[in-house]
Amino acid sequence: EAQVTQNPRYLITVTGKKLTVTCSQNMNHEYMSWYRQDPGLGLRQIYYSMNVEVTDKGDVPEGYKVSRKEKRNFPLILESPSPNQTSLYFCASSPTVIGHSPLHFGNGTRLTVT
Amino acid sequence: DQQVKQNSPSLSVQEGRISILNCDYTNSMFDYFLWYKKYPAEGPTFLISISSIKDKNEDGRFTVFLNKSAKHLSLHIVPSQPGDSAVYFCAAKSFQKLVFGTGTRLLVSP
């Protein structure tokens, strides 16, 4: 089944404790992206990747890191999480962002930072 | 600055009636518009899209209208069904960026 898989689904952590949210897609998509969803703010892009070893900042990249060493994986790294990073996170992929390919989203990771 | 706005946070409609969800944008460089639907505990799923060179696109019960002069986009669902109850996001694409609106929660009651 074609899908985007995020892990974990739920995560509670404390301020400053490094964490990684994994994202994997099995559709051989070139483009991958991370979004956060917050009440009243919709979905905001954190980072995106056009292909392996090619990543760029989205609209809200502060406090986050990403890597794209393999085509299928695009982990989101919070080196020193803070409470304002408490949010619902979505990973997404598409064959290519150039053109009209819709994004395929994972089921989300709800992160709470205390 | 919110480039894509959905000014109605929620909408309630009776089953069988029309649901109209609205979206406004500010960037005239957007060349493609999409609607996504999101159920609780799931990621958004693609619903329907429209190119900026068109003013209407239809797919079954779903129709998207684009008014470029007004920078306005709307999604019509006819007839509405209880299973349509979800949060709907409009999104607009420019070059390599996809910008989402804040979402409208649709509730369709039997």
Side-chain angles (χ1 to χ4, degrees), chain A residues 87-110:
Chain A
S87 187
L88 179 58
Y89 292 86
F90 290 101
C91 180
S93 72
S94 73
T96 172
V97 75
I98 300 172
H100 307 152
S101 301
L103 288 169
H104 298 253
F105 283 85
N107 282 333
T109 295
R110 185 167 292 282

Short mmCIF file of all heavy atoms in Angstrom, two decimals, chain A residues 87-110:
data_model
loop_
_atom_site.label_atom_id
_atom_site.label_comp_id
_atom_site.label_asym_id
_atom_site.label_seq_id
_atom_site.Cartn_x
_atom_site.Cartn_y
_atom_site.Cartn_z
N SER A 87 2.94 20.84 19.08
CA SER A 87 2.14 21.00 17.86
C SER A 87 1.81 19.63 17.28
O SER A 87 2.25 18.60 17.79
CB SER A 87 2.94 21.82 16.84
OG SER A 87 2.15 22.14 15.71
N LEU A 88 1.04 19.65 16.20
CA LEU A 88 0.74 18.46 15.42
C LEU A 88 1.57 18.55 14.14
O LEU A 88 1.45 19.52 13.38
CB LEU A 88 -0.76 18.39 15.10
CG LEU A 88 -1.26 17.21 14.27
CD1 LEU A 88 -0.92 15.89 14.94
CD2 LEU A 88 -2.77 17.34 14.07
N TYR A 89 2.41 17.55 13.92
CA TYR A 89 3.34 17.57 12.80
C TYR A 89 2.93 16.57 11.72
O TYR A 89 2.54 15.45 12.02
CB TYR A 89 4.75 17.23 13.28
CG TYR A 89 5.35 18.31 14.15
CD1 TYR A 89 5.10 18.34 15.52
CD2 TYR A 89 6.13 19.32 13.61
CE1 TYR A 89 5.63 19.33 16.32
CE2 TYR A 89 6.67 20.32 14.40
CZ TYR A 89 6.41 20.32 15.76
OH TYR A 89 6.93 21.32 16.55
N PHE A 90 3.04 17.02 10.47
CA PHE A 90 2.73 16.15 9.33
C PHE A 90 3.91 16.12 8.36
O PHE A 90 4.46 17.15 8.02
CB PHE A 90 1.50 16.65 8.59
CG PHE A 90 0.22 16.48 9.33
CD1 PHE A 90 -0.35 17.55 10.00
CD2 PHE A 90 -0.41 15.25 9.38
CE1 PHE A 90 -1.53 17.39 10.69
CE2 PHE A 90 -1.59 15.08 10.08
CZ PHE A 90 -2.15 16.15 10.74
N CYS A 91 4.22 14.93 7.93
CA CYS A 91 5.16 14.73 6.84
C CYS A 91 4.36 14.49 5.57
O CYS A 91 3.27 13.89 5.63
CB CYS A 91 6.05 13.53 7.15
SG CYS A 91 7.27 13.16 5.88
N ALA A 92 4.86 14.94 4.44
CA ALA A 92 4.14 14.76 3.18
C ALA A 92 5.13 14.52 2.06
O ALA A 92 6.30 14.93 2.14
CB ALA A 92 3.29 15.99 2.88
N SER A 93 4.65 13.88 1.00
CA SER A 93 5.51 13.65 -0.15
C SER A 93 4.69 13.78 -1.42
O SER A 93 3.46 13.67 -1.41
CB SER A 93 6.15 12.26 -0.08
OG SER A 93 5.20 11.24 -0.34
N SER A 94 5.39 14.04 -2.53
CA SER A 94 4.74 14.02 -3.84
C SER A 94 5.79 13.67 -4.88
O SER A 94 6.99 13.83 -4.64
CB SER A 94 4.09 15.37 -4.15
OG SER A 94 5.07 16.33 -4.45
N PRO A 95 5.34 13.16 -6.05
CA PRO A 95 6.30 12.78 -7.10
C PRO A 95 7.25 13.93 -7.44
O PRO A 95 8.43 13.74 -7.61
CB PRO A 95 5.41 12.41 -8.28
CG PRO A 95 4.13 11.99 -7.66
CD PRO A 95 3.96 12.87 -6.45
N THR A 96 6.68 15.11 -7.53
CA THR A 96 7.46 16.31 -7.78
C THR A 96 6.60 17.50 -7.44
O THR A 96 5.40 17.47 -7.62
CB THR A 96 7.96 16.39 -9.23
OG1 THR A 96 8.57 17.68 -9.43
CG2 THR A 96 6.82 16.26 -10.21
N VAL A 97 7.18 18.54 -6.93
CA VAL A 97 6.39 19.72 -6.61
C VAL A 97 6.18 20.58 -7.85
O VAL A 97 5.28 21.40 -7.90
CB VAL A 97 7.07 20.57 -5.51
CG1 VAL A 97 8.27 21.33 -6.07
CG2 VAL A 97 6.09 21.53 -4.87
N ILE A 98 6.98 20.34 -8.88
CA ILE A 98 6.82 21.11 -10.11
C ILE A 98 5.67 20.49 -10.87
O ILE A 98 5.67 19.31 -11.17
CB ILE A 98 8.10 21.08 -10.95
CG1 ILE A 98 9.27 21.68 -10.16
CG2 ILE A 98 7.88 21.80 -12.26
CD1 ILE A 98 10.59 21.52 -10.84
N GLY A 99 4.64 21.28 -11.17
CA GLY A 99 3.45 20.71 -11.77
C GLY A 99 2.36 20.58 -10.72
O GLY A 99 2.35 21.28 -9.73
N HIS A 100 1.49 19.66 -10.90
CA HIS A 100 0.27 19.65 -10.12
C HIS A 100 0.10 18.37 -9.31
O HIS A 100 -1.01 17.93 -9.10
CB HIS A 100 -0.93 19.84 -11.05
CG HIS A 100 -0.78 21.05 -11.92
ND1 HIS A 100 -1.36 21.16 -13.14
CD2 HIS A 100 -0.10 22.20 -11.73
CE1 HIS A 100 -1.04 22.34 -13.67
NE2 HIS A 100 -0.28 22.98 -12.84
N SER A 101 1.19 17.81 -8.85
CA SER A 101 1.09 16.59 -8.07
C SER A 101 0.66 16.91 -6.66
O SER A 101 1.35 17.64 -5.95
CB SER A 101 2.45 15.89 -8.02
OG SER A 101 2.90 15.58 -9.30
N PRO A 102 -0.47 16.38 -6.21
CA PRO A 102 -0.90 16.66 -4.84
C PRO A 102 0.01 15.96 -3.84
O PRO A 102 0.63 14.95 -4.14
CB PRO A 102 -2.32 16.10 -4.77
CG PRO A 102 -2.52 15.28 -5.98
CD PRO A 102 -1.43 15.57 -6.95
N LEU A 103 0.06 16.51 -2.65
CA LEU A 103 0.83 15.93 -1.57
C LEU A 103 0.10 14.74 -0.95
O LEU A 103 -1.12 14.75 -0.84
CB LEU A 103 1.08 16.97 -0.48
CG LEU A 103 2.07 18.08 -0.78
CD1 LEU A 103 1.98 19.15 0.30
CD2 LEU A 103 3.48 17.54 -0.87
N HIS A 104 0.89 13.74 -0.54
CA HIS A 104 0.38 12.62 0.23
C HIS A 104 0.89 12.82 1.66
O HIS A 104 2.10 12.95 1.86
CB HIS A 104 0.91 11.29 -0.32
CG HIS A 104 0.48 11.02 -1.72
ND1 HIS A 104 -0.47 10.07 -2.03
CD2 HIS A 104 0.86 11.57 -2.90
CE1 HIS A 104 -0.64 10.04 -3.35
NE2 HIS A 104 0.15 10.94 -3.89
N PHE A 105 -0.01 12.84 2.61
CA PHE A 105 0.36 13.12 3.99
C PHE A 105 0.40 11.85 4.84
O PHE A 105 -0.36 10.91 4.62
CB PHE A 105 -0.65 14.07 4.63
CG PHE A 105 -0.50 15.50 4.22
CD1 PHE A 105 -1.09 15.97 3.06
CD2 PHE A 105 0.23 16.38 4.99
CE1 PHE A 105 -0.95 17.29 2.67
CE2 PHE A 105 0.37 17.71 4.63
CZ PHE A 105 -0.21 18.17 3.46
N GLY A 106 1.28 11.88 5.84
CA GLY A 106 1.24 10.88 6.90
C GLY A 106 0.11 11.21 7.86
O GLY A 106 -0.59 12.22 7.71
N ASN A 107 -0.06 10.35 8.88
CA ASN A 107 -1.17 10.52 9.82
C ASN A 107 -0.87 11.46 10.97
O ASN A 107 -1.72 11.66 11.84
CB ASN A 107 -1.62 9.16 10.35
CG ASN A 107 -2.48 8.42 9.34
OD1 ASN A 107 -3.14 9.03 8.51
ND2 ASN A 107 -2.44 7.11 9.39
N GLY A 108 0.33 11.99 11.00
CA GLY A 108 0.63 13.02 11.99
C GLY A 108 1.33 12.50 13.23
O GLY A 108 1.22 11.33 13.60
N THR A 109 2.07 13.41 13.86
CA THR A 109 2.73 13.15 15.14
C THR A 109 2.36 14.29 16.08
O THR A 109 2.64 15.45 15.78
CB THR A 109 4.26 13.10 14.98
OG1 THR A 109 4.62 11.99 14.16
CG2 THR A 109 4.94 12.99 16.34
N ARG A 110 1.70 13.93 17.17
CA ARG A 110 1.33 14.97 18.14
C ARG A 110 2.43 15.07 19.18
O ARG A 110 2.66 14.14 19.95
CB ARG A 110 -0.01 14.68 18.81
CG ARG A 110 -0.45 15.82 19.72
CD ARG A 110 -1.91 15.71 20.13
NE ARG A 110 -2.84 15.90 19.05
CZ ARG A 110 -3.19 17.09 18.55
NH1 ARG A 110 -2.65 18.19 19.04
NH2 ARG A 110 -4.09 17.16 17.59
#
